[in-house]
Amino acid sequence: MRTGSHSADVAIAGAGLAGVAAAIEALDRGRRVVLIDRDVEEALGGQAKDAFGGLWFAGSPLQRRRGIPDSVELGFSDWLAFGELRAADAWPRAWAQSYVERCVPDVHDWLVSLGIRFMPMPMWVERGLYGPGNSVPRFHLVWGTGRALADRVNARLLGHPRRGLLTLRFGHRVDAFTTRAGRVTGIRGVTEPGGEPFEFESESVVIAAGGINGDIERVRRHWHEDWAEPPRVILNGSHRFADGRLHDAATAAGASVTHLDWQWNYAAGIRHWRPRKPGHGLSLIPPKSALWLNARGERIGPMPLVSGFDTHELVARICREPGGYSWQLLNRRIALKELAVSGAEFNPAIRDGRRLRFARELLFGNRWLYEELTRNSEDIVQAATLSELVERMNALTADDTVGLAAVEDAVSRYDAAIRRGPRFHDDEQLRRIAWLRRWPGDRIRTCAFQTILDRRAGPLMAIREFVISRKSMGGIQTDLQGRVLGDNGRVIEGLYAAGEAAGFGGGGMNGKRGLEGTFLGGCIFSGRITGRNA
Ligand SMILES: Cc1cc2nc3c(=O)[nH]c(=O)nc-3n(C[C@H](O)[C@H](O)[C@H](O)COP(=O)(O)OP(=O)(O)OC[C@H]3O[C@@H](n4cnc5c(N)ncnc54)[C@H](O)[C@@H]3O)c2cc1C
């Protein structure tokens, strides 16, 4: 062994949520664990720390309390239909079934035992557009966002009764796996910064290094065929080290890596004004009462775009529009009630547990976020009139692509449809808003048929939105114990994978669409299973 070499029972590459969950389980079983991460110590918990903090459960106690009729059977049938998981996807399907059956006891109840609390009303996202999505609300938002989730899980690790068996290494980049007689026997890599080589010999190795979506070139290479060509600008909404390095190392060790084109990217990204990585983007939760226009200012249609139904389809539609980006047109009143950003950073009221502030924002609008976005974002323009707004939109893109006539036409038709009254709403966006508002969780966040050119609701606002990369739903193929599989289903002895690296289990348990909340949930679920077996 070289200098800098050590040994452990279990070596885990990646200290995100999946790696931490795996480490806890391995410690529970008295194993000596080394948890290695390329990032700094403060980033323990990985992307979960920045996440919004929604988890997917079917048949949870909260759903029962809210009178939501859900079950494992309904959840699984929605899952298969939405993800379009075929019989040939045997391991992804097996993982999906296992997650749906076990997510309440193994994820929900475990988190509750760690002190996690959920917001009182599950949210209803990914309802499905042309086929089933979530038939009922299932997105359980952690009170405290992903920050509280990661902090609690980290605290369990750092305060573990067998803490003495744990070695933590930050600033260590894993590059490869060592093998002997066809079995994986450890990992090696270099320190960052410094470039000092290190090596750990171990009985088992767990890959928990996240997905590929932090490397935009890789995202482009594995672009899904439904999405036509990748757009010129794709923002980065993933981890800066989610670069697929260990997917390559796993492949070199004989692993099967599947479905990398199953990516969960979003349609409404804007540039972060305090970027922490190249192309750093923020994913907006697109206002449902805004008009979604293409680069020319034409309303995208004939089926208008409305978020909350099918994110995969939104990305597909935007990519087919000229320029591969879009605009959302709204006014201040809509922005105050509906505009939101996914993640812990821009939801301080929920993140910091400030209930009064949260209630005030729900009732009177989120003024803090409105100010923050309009003051800082280079992708947002405002004006008192449509013609001025279009001038500013064109100034932003430094051309005359947005046509005033197209924008006026879209706005006047939409506003006129609203003015005819709900009994005569023949616009698909208005029909969907009506349906959304029937669920209290959406009603409180969605305007009641707000016209765009309402003088009392101004100023007008246009947001330029780019596709933003986020989650890898495909990945390293694993069996139900988390063991990495090679060609023909052969087990690669000693090698395990969990979390986003493994497509949350089986190399793609969501299929090509995810019901949302299945990512954090999937990391805990697969991390725990893998840690138990490694
Ligand atoms: C803003 C935002 C909001 C989100 N909201 C939600 C939500 O509400 N619900 C939901 O389900 N999901 C959400 N997600 C997704 C979810 O957070 C991630 O899918 C999940 O946290 C991934 O966890 P992981 O442990 O698999 O990987 P990561 O969190 O990516 O952790 C991987 C770790 O591995 C390390 N690493 C990478 N390469 C190496 C290497 N070569 N050597 C050593 N270490 C390495 C990284 O530094 C990192 O710490 C959100 C994500 C973001 C960014």
Side-chain angles (χ1 to χ4, degrees):
M1 277 195 283
R2 286 185 284 169
T3 357
S5 71
H6 311 268
S7 72
D9 295 326
V10 185
I12 303 174
L17 187 61
V20 173
I24 293 170
E25 290 293 325
L27 289 178
D28 285 349
R29 278 151 191 79
R31 314 282 282 160
R32 285 178 309 131
V33 177
V34 58
L35 182 56
I36 302 162
D37 202 287
R38 196 175 166 183
D39 216 334
V40 294
E41 189 169 354
E42 298 69 48
L44 178 68
Q47 288 185 77
K49 259 196 140 128
D50 294 330
F52 198 25
L55 291 105
W56 188 98
F57 303 123
S60 74
L62 181 59
Q63 285 178 309
R64 279 197 294 281
R65 281 204 297 280
R66 295 283 164 259
I68 299 168
D70 203 5
S71 64
V72 164
E73 292 70 34
L74 181 62
F76 188 48
S77 123
D78 287 349
W79 188 302
L80 290 184
F82 199 57
E84 293 182 33
L85 273 169
R86 298 153 307 174
D89 297 312
W91 287 115
R93 276 176 79 109
W95 269 91
Q97 182 167 3
S98 182
Y99 179 83
V100 178
E101 287 172 356
R102 300 294 311 168
C103 61
V104 172
D106 292 355
V107 181
H108 176 277
D109 296 354
W110 187 69
L111 288 176
V112 169
S113 79
L114 298 184
I116 291 289
R117 296 287 170 266
F118 296 95
M119 307 278 286
M121 186 68 78
M123 291 158 81
W124 197 355
V125 296
E126 298 302 310
R127 295 173 177 216
L129 188 55
Y130 302 116
N134 280 312
S135 297
V136 292
R138 296 191 173 112
F139 192 76
H140 295 61
L141 190 61
V142 170
W143 192 216
T145 70
R147 186 72 51 84
L149 176 75
D151 286 351
R152 291 280 178 171
V153 177
N154 289 349
R156 170 69 188 150
L157 176 75
L158 300 175
H160 198 283
R162 298 200 175 108
R163 173 74 170 82
L165 296 178
L166 173 70
T167 305
L168 283 166
R169 288 282 183 276
F170 296 97
H172 280 53
R173 189 188 76 207
V174 177
D175 289 329
F177 309 112
T178 49
T179 54
R180 202 176 308 128
R183 187 189 165 89
V184 170
T185 53
I187 57 181
R188 59 185 156 75
V190 293
T191 58
E192 275 185 343
E196 287 293 315
F198 71 87
E199 197 168 318
F200 275 91
E201 205 168 82
S202 60
E203 232 174 77
S204 1
V205 167
V206 179
I207 308 171
I212 63 162
N213 282 49
D215 176 348
I216 301 302
E217 278 320 305
R218 251 183 227 255
V219 167
R220 288 180 188 282
R221 227 181 301 145
H222 297 285
W223 200 243
H224 197 281
E225 62 179 7
D226 289 353
W227 295 337
E229 286 300 302
R232 197 174 56 79
V233 177
I234 301 176
L235 299 179
N236 191 343
S238 178
H239 196 285
R240 64 189 174 124
F241 295 142
D243 60 2
R245 179 182 294 263
L246 293 190
H247 291 66
D248 292 349
T251 306
S256 231
V257 177
T258 55
H259 301 304
L260 290 181
D261 59 337
W262 287 353
Q263 300 176 19
W264 203 236
N265 299 328
Y266 290 93
I270 59 171
R271 293 170 206 275
H272 202 313
W273 47 96
R274 292 186 294 269
R276 296 188 292 277
K277 56 197 160 200
H280 190 171
L282 292 172
S283 181
L284 300 183
I285 298 171
K288 293 165 170 85
S289 301
L291 279 184
W292 217 320
L293 312 176
N294 69 13
R296 293 197 284 255
E298 299 154 346
R299 187 172 182 202
I300 300 176
M303 180 71 116
L305 302 192
V306 185
S307 65
F309 294 87
D310 184 341
T311 293
H312 180 89
E313 174 70 9
L314 285 180
V315 174
R317 298 280 303 280
I318 300 285
C319 290
R320 288 196 162 75
E321 292 297 327
Y325 68 92
S326 64
W327 291 97
Q328 277 202 293
L329 188 73
L330 60 162
N331 55 41
R332 180 173 187 271
R333 185 179 293 164
I334 296 172
L336 282 173
K337 197 167 184 71
E338 300 187 15
L339 189 55
V341 181
S342 174
E345 190 177 4
F346 290 92
N347 288 284
I350 308 177
R351 184 192 63 215
D352 304 335
R354 296 169 64 180
R355 286 164 206 262
L356 257 180
R357 174 174 169 181
F358 177 63
R360 217 173 35 236
E361 286 175 358
L362 271 185
L363 290 174
F364 306 114
N366 192 340
R367 292 199 164 78
W368 173 82
L369 184 66
Y370 177 82
E371 294 297 330
E372 189 73 5
L373 289 171
T374 51
R375 222 182 276 145
N376 296 304
S377 171
E378 61 177 285
D379 294 311
I380 296 180
V381 290
Q382 288 182 286
T385 65
L386 265 190
S387 59
E388 248 181 276
L389 190 73
V390 168
E391 250 173 57
R392 291 190 183 159
M393 291 161 82
N394 279 327
L396 188 60
T397 47
D399 55 28
D400 287 327
T401 312
V402 185
L404 177 59
V407 177
E408 278 175 343
D409 180 61
V411 172
S412 62
R413 281 171 193 275
Y414 182 73
D415 281 3
I418 292 181
R419 278 196 299 271
R420 285 196 288 277
R423 283 190 302 156
F424 307 103
H425 281 172
D426 57 353
D427 185 289
E428 179 59 21
Q429 183 166 348
L430 297 176
R431 282 196 286 262
R432 287 216 233 142
I433 288 174
W435 180 34
L436 287 160
R437 280 179 50 83
R438 270 187 244 143
W439 175 244
D442 282 317
R443 185 184 190 85
I444 200 153
R445 291 190 180 82
T446 312
C447 296
F449 312 119
Q450 173 61 53
T451 51
I452 305 287
L453 292 182
D454 177 345
R455 279 178 195 284
R456 292 156 310 159
L460 295 166
M461 182 175 187
I463 312 175
R464 181 178 54 171
E465 296 174 346
F466 299 101
V467 169
I468 175 167
S469 87
R470 182 76 103 212
K471 294 138 193 161
S472 306
M473 297 197 300
I476 301 164
Q477 193 155 55
T478 53
D479 67 7
L480 286 179
Q481 295 174 45
R483 296 183 300 181
V484 171
L485 302 173
D487 294 341
N488 309 320
R490 180 179 58 90
V491 170
I492 299 183
E493 296 296 335
L495 192 59
Y496 294 76
E500 213 167 314
F504 306 97
M509 78 160 179
N510 285 276
K512 83 170 186 186
R513 293 190 193 81
L515 289 166
E516 282 289 2
T518 54
F519 315 112
L520 291 170
C523 283
I524 294 170
F525 186 66
S526 62
R528 292 193 71 204
I529 289 180
T530 304
R532 219 173 283 155
N533 291 306

